[in-house]
Amino acid sequence: MGMTGSGKSTFISHFCGTARAGHGLRSATAEVEAHLATHRIRDRRVIFVDTPGFDDTLRTDTEVLRDIVNWLNVTYAQNIKMTGIVYLHGINVPRVTGSAHTNMRLFRELCGDESMASVVLATTHWSRSAGERAAQESRHEQLVADDAFWRRMERNGARVFKHDRGETTARAIVHYLLDRGREGGGGGGMSLRVQREMAEGRTLDQTAVGIALERRIEEMRLAYERELGNLKRELDEARQQTAQNQQRIEEINEDRMRLESRLNEEKAARRQLRKNLKELQRERSDEQRKKLRDREQPPRKRSHGQKGCVVM
């Protein structure tokens, strides 16, 4: 797990030929994806699970959370448990952004303090330049020392790694989790707080991670409404002045439409959180069936008079 661009798919690609690493601004992982390791590791069959980040470029945090929680709960109901979780953070980013902080908070609430002994926190994208490396070392220490970032998780048993040597450190991390799983009771596996909460019958908004996300959504709603109020006042002032402000009026109206669209998205997101396990699974199954139908539907024949165009 981790933010978009933190190196999740790249990490998995060291073990699985099916993982796709992204190289652009968009996330390469749109949904939760399971990959079987090409070779046995520590004489074990290992499956890696890649997840989209909560800052996904195409979907809201609520949609991402819903998919992750649904996958976790389906496997939990089948008594399939995880050996451990690797949370990745790009150390090349100069400061911990609001999105990164939200990612860490949601991750912590998703897992719960009692699951941290099976968690690895790893920094990625280390530079080979001595000057840049010194600044990155300082940022790494800040992550480990601050309760708002990794300190609390480490105190509860999470292990911190510097993932700075490609496949070598990736293997060290996986070996640590596999060995720790054996030591912890024969590889019985871990369960997360959100899995236990939803197994008790809670809806997603009643779980710790759902409450944290809803708090974040409310903060965003208030910020959008403040910005919308400022735009309305600016629009009134522009309308009272000369016709030269017409372009600015159009820009303000575009910004208003963008903000109103975001507010509507946040309202829809809050409705999505008020769903229990069965509703999440049913919704996910409906989406999967629709995707399957869309893939199986043959393309229509090309219309007469159209060149180089297939109408879908």
Side-chain angles (χ1 to χ4, degrees):
M1 299 187 71
M3 288 186 68
T4 298
S6 60
K8 301 185 297 293
S9 299
T10 301
F11 184 97
I12 295 175
S13 70
H14 292 305
F15 308 94
C16 314
T18 53
R20 297 172 298 115
H23 301 288
L25 295 176
R26 292 193 174 192
S27 168
T29 306
E31 297 180 344
V32 178
E33 298 175 350
H35 302 272
L36 175 63
T38 308
H39 304 288
R40 294 176 74 85
I41 306 172
R42 285 281 205 263
D43 199 32
R44 295 177 68 178
R45 178 175 175 266
V46 179
I47 295 173
F48 292 84
V49 181
D50 198 359
T51 68
F54 284 112
D55 61 328
D56 190 78
T57 44
L58 299 176
R59 299 189 301 162
T60 66
D61 287 349
T62 303
E63 290 172 320
V64 170
L65 177 63
R66 186 197 62 176
D67 281 1
I68 292 173
V69 168
N70 188 61
W71 190 92
L72 288 169
N73 285 311
V74 167
T75 54
Y76 187 75
Q78 296 171 353
N79 202 33
I80 300 170
K81 295 184 179 180
M82 293 170 289
T83 300
I85 297 183
V86 182
Y87 183 89
L88 301 177
H89 175 81
I91 203 66
N92 58 324
V93 180
R95 55 183 291 273
V96 178
T97 63
S99 293
H101 193 253
T102 297
N103 241 288
M104 292 178 197
R105 186 167 72 243
L106 294 177
F107 173 76
R108 191 172 63 231
E109 299 296 351
L110 185 87
C111 296
D113 291 342
E114 59 278 14
S115 300
M116 285 298 152
S118 298
V119 167
V120 161
L121 306 169
T123 45
T124 60
H125 299 314
W126 284 87
S127 174
R128 295 181 180 177
S129 161
E132 289 181 16
R133 179 84 184 198
Q136 291 175 346
E137 291 282 0
S138 176
R139 289 198 289 272
H140 179 88
E141 292 305 317
Q142 183 186 358
L143 280 172
V144 178
D146 196 326
D147 263 347
F149 303 142
W150 287 4
R151 186 183 175 195
R152 174 179 157 187
M153 291 189 282
E154 188 185 26
R155 278 205 315 264
N156 284 300
R159 173 79 180 271
V160 175
F161 278 81
K162 293 177 184 176
H163 177 33
D164 57 355
R165 286 178 291 135
E167 185 176 346
T168 301
T169 43
R171 287 199 172 275
I173 289 168
V174 173
H175 289 172
Y176 164 77
L177 288 171
L178 290 173
D179 292 345
R180 201 217 151 272
R182 281 199 178 103
E183 293 165 7
M190 66 184 292
S191 61
L192 305 186
R193 174 190 285 167
V194 71
Q195 292 175 307
R196 296 189 296 271
E197 288 174 329
M198 294 204 76
E200 292 170 0
R202 300 190 195 187
T203 55
L204 189 51
D205 65 317
Q206 294 171 335
T207 65
V209 66
I211 291 168
L213 181 54
E214 193 149 23
R215 192 179 301 126
R216 170 66 176 159
I217 291 171
E218 178 63 12
E219 291 169 0
M220 291 169 65
R221 183 188 68 80
L222 293 172
Y224 289 154
E225 288 184 345
R226 282 195 298 271
E227 192 175 346
L228 197 54
N230 292 336
L231 284 173
K232 287 177 179 177
R233 283 191 292 275
E234 191 177 344
L235 182 60
D236 289 340
E237 291 170 5
R239 282 173 173 165
Q240 291 170 10
Q241 296 174 13
T242 64
Q244 294 175 349
N245 285 318
Q246 185 59 38
Q247 182 177 352
R248 181 58 190 145
I249 289 171
E250 291 174 1
E251 291 172 353
I252 293 170
N253 279 324
E254 287 177 4
D255 287 342
R256 282 180 62 193
M257 290 173 64
R258 173 180 55 83
L259 281 172
E260 286 169 354
S261 174
R262 285 185 180 178
L263 278 170
N264 288 332
E265 286 176 2
E266 298 310 326
K267 288 176 184 175
R270 296 184 89 156
R271 287 195 296 272
Q272 281 189 330
L273 286 175
R274 294 178 175 85
K275 292 176 181 175
N276 60 27
L277 179 56
K278 287 184 178 178
E279 289 169 327
L280 284 174
Q281 291 174 350
R282 184 168 59 247
E283 191 175 73
R284 182 65 177 154
S285 296
D286 290 344
E287 290 175 1
Q288 294 289 72
R289 279 195 292 271
K290 183 179 183 302
K291 285 181 182 178
L292 186 61
R293 285 198 303 271
D294 290 344
R295 283 199 298 266
E296 291 176 346
Q297 187 176 5
R300 295 176 187 172
K301 292 182 179 180
R302 185 181 300 170
S303 302
H304 293 295
Q306 292 181 317
K307 296 182 178 179
C309 175
V310 177
V311 180
M312 303 299 289

